[in-house]
Amino acid sequence: MERLNKRLEAAIESALRSAQHDGALPQFTIPRIPASPPKRAGQGDWAYPAMGLARLARKSPLDIARLIVDRLPTLDFAGKIEIAPPGFINCTIADDYLRKQVDAALAAEEAWFQLDIGAGKRAQVEFVSANPSGPITIGHTRNAVVGDAMARLLEAAGYEVQREYYYNNAGNQMIILGKSLQLRYLQQLGEKAELPADHYQGEYLVDIARDLAAERGDSLRGESWQVFKDVAEQVMFGWIKRSLASIHIEHDAFFNETSLFESEHIWSVLEALRAKGHIYQATHWEGAGADEIADVAAKGYQPATWFRSTTFGDEKDRVMVKSDGVPTYTLPDIAYHSDKLERGFDIAVNVLGTDHFSQAQVVRHGIRALGMDPAPIEVIFLQMVRAVRWNADLGEFAAVKQSKRAGDFDTLDDLVAMTSADAVRYHMLARSPNSQLDFDVDQVVKQSNENPVYYIQNAYVRCAGIFREAAERGLGDADADLNLLGESELRFVRKALEIGNVIEQAVRHYEPQKIAFFAHELAGVFHPIYDEVRVLHSEVPAETAKARLRFYRAAQAVFRYLLGLMGMSAPERM
């Protein structure tokens, strides 16, 4: 997809170089000044502020703007270029160019939207990354949707993308899971096995135990918790994958944290840090105050292995290996990210909760301490999310606890059952990750324009309805004369041409929510046009109807693409 603002900026840079070459402007390094949509209607589609060159060029912004415009190369998309005080160069897209984009979009199909920002580059998005100890919760769901949307946008920008799921099937959580299933299994055999309060209480383990008893009888009665842990992990991962697939999410790779131990990569990383002087043994960190040292001594702590992360700006050093020889989560985290970088990704995006903020900074310190560049590592931090419904008795929104199968938390399956996969995808995406999210269960299922899911999908549905009726009448749009399209239709095409810039901004700033905002804005442009620009009305001339039918075919393709970028369906009827 052509980004016309970039073409305008390149043409202006060429004009500036020409002015420097012929002596009309002094020699200076030309700064990148973006062309952006003007703040007021009637001032064109793109505005370039020459005021940013005044100090370097030692001329007034208006004089600089005139020098640029006089030397601009021919731009096939520019219908009008004007100079406006105090030094703007305003460019209006030509109507003929807009009309041509209708056929161009249909001829190229999805390739029309494709960008080349990431051409030849590899990106990884690591998201969800929940241990297989339970189903996908509502918090995991937001993580999943944001991560997958980010991956889709990176692909749209031209990157080769890998979706990765990082998990740990060891540790205390998984031990408790195995013991919990073991006790549930024994209960199925009729034994009075008490489930401790710190074990997994979810009814889903009762189901697994029931199936296990039906399949294996009492043959597992004497087996250890490890056997039950393995069974639970297998079943839970099957559930997790099915839940994610229900909202159109699949991972390319599953990376097990234990592989870092089996390959001894974590110890290689530790020794590399030690060799570079960043590791030391002590009962307390080197910057500890007298009170902290006294407290450590009173508790009789033994020496642990510390990472001197304060060298890289951390507020305090971090324990890498506890005194009992067990690594903290910091060491495998650093080892995992060093492995990512060794795999050659140009971008490695992590989607994490805000409670991981400090740890993410420590990982960057560790990567830098290894002598590696942490620049490819980007993190999208997510605030909390909860499902809510209006509680008339309380006069406020209250959290929904619908799950009967998962203990005391809501699951992705619950949300899909209460709403729809499309509703879950859109509403989890259409909010800045930095904002807490209340998922209003009642609002997201409304069949009205108040619901943005309905509002956007209905734009596609309306196009589909036109084509069904046109087919019944035997009407087509081949050889349509697009000169018959009016200003209303061109207004939509003009807005649709912003998709490339929206994708670029979403990718460069790791803000996938931008595509959801834009889809809603574009639907807002479309619906009034649909109401006023008729196709099949008896008073519409045949050739005009054919041109408009062609326009609606392009509009449908645009909405199909945007819905796909958000991982949503494009229904033919609603």
Side-chain angles (χ1 to χ4, degrees), residues 29 61 84 87 102 109 149 155 165 196 213 249 271 273 278 332 340 344 352 357 374 388 435 459 506 509 518 525 560:
T29 300
V102 173
E109 297 181 340
E155 287 171 334
Y165 189 123
I249 293 175
E271 290 312 307
L273 290 170
H278 302 304
K340 281 188 185 186
L352 302 171
F357 181 82
V388 298
S435 302
H509 300 290
F518 178 79
V525 174
R560 183 190 303 114

Side-chain angles (χ1 to χ4, degrees), residues 37-109:
K39 295 181 179 179
R40 296 180 182 176
Q43 295 181 324
D45 295 296
W46 299 104
Y48 179 89
M51 296 83 75
L53 299 168
R55 182 180 60 81
L56 294 168
R58 299 192 290 276
K59 287 184 180 293
S60 74
L62 282 173
D63 286 341
I64 297 169
R66 293 188 189 100
L67 287 170
I68 291 171
V69 171
D70 288 345
R71 292 165 173 78
L72 273 179
T74 301
L75 296 169
D76 64 344
F77 66 85
K80 183 168 59 177
I81 293 180
E82 297 177 311
I83 297 171
F88 286 103
I89 298 172
N90 295 331
C91 175
T92 301
I93 302 172
D95 287 353
D96 284 347
Y97 180 86
L98 293 172
R99 293 188 180 97
K100 289 177 182 177
Q101 298 314 298
V102 173
D103 276 340
L106 292 172
E109 297 181 340

Side-chain angles (χ1 to χ4, degrees), residues 23 48 119 133 361-362 413 470 547 560:
Y48 179 89
S133 56
Q361 310 315 309
V362 175
D413 294 347
R560 183 190 303 114

Side-chain angles (χ1 to χ4, degrees), residues 376-398:
I377 300 173
E378 300 286 347
V379 183
I380 299 174
F381 291 105
L382 300 177
Q383 290 279 3
M384 291 179 62
V385 57
R386 63 174 185 161
V388 298
R389 273 191 167 130
W390 181 256
N391 186 312
D393 294 334
L394 297 176
E396 62 184 21
F397 284 103

Side-chain angles (χ1 to χ4, degrees), residues 196-214:
D198 65 346
H199 281 42
Y200 286 91
Q201 305 296 318
E203 286 294 311
Y204 61 91
L205 286 180
V206 175
D207 289 345
I208 298 173
R210 184 182 299 115
D211 293 342
L212 197 57

Side-chain angles (χ1 to χ4, degrees), residues 179-255:
K179 291 181 177 180
S180 299
L181 179 57
Q182 183 181 37
L183 292 171
R184 290 299 193 191
Y185 170 76
L186 293 175
Q187 289 173 354
Q188 291 297 314
L189 298 182
E191 295 190 17
K192 293 182 179 181
E194 187 85 20
L195 199 70
D198 65 346
H199 281 42
Y200 286 91
Q201 305 296 318
E203 286 294 311
Y204 61 91
L205 286 180
V206 175
D207 289 345
I208 298 173
R210 184 182 299 115
D211 293 342
L212 197 57
E215 180 184 344
R216 303 290 295 272
D218 65 354
S219 64
L220 300 179
R221 188 189 297 273
E223 295 291 348
S224 69
W225 62 264
Q226 287 96 332
V227 171
F228 293 92
K229 188 271 290 184
D230 291 343
V231 170
E233 178 187 345
Q234 182 180 7
V235 173
M236 291 317 308
F237 251 133
W239 188 356
I240 287 168
K241 289 178 181 179
R242 287 192 301 274
S243 295
L244 292 174
S246 75
I247 57 171
H248 320 301
I249 293 175
E250 292 185 6
H251 287 82
D252 302 305
F254 288 80
F255 192 105

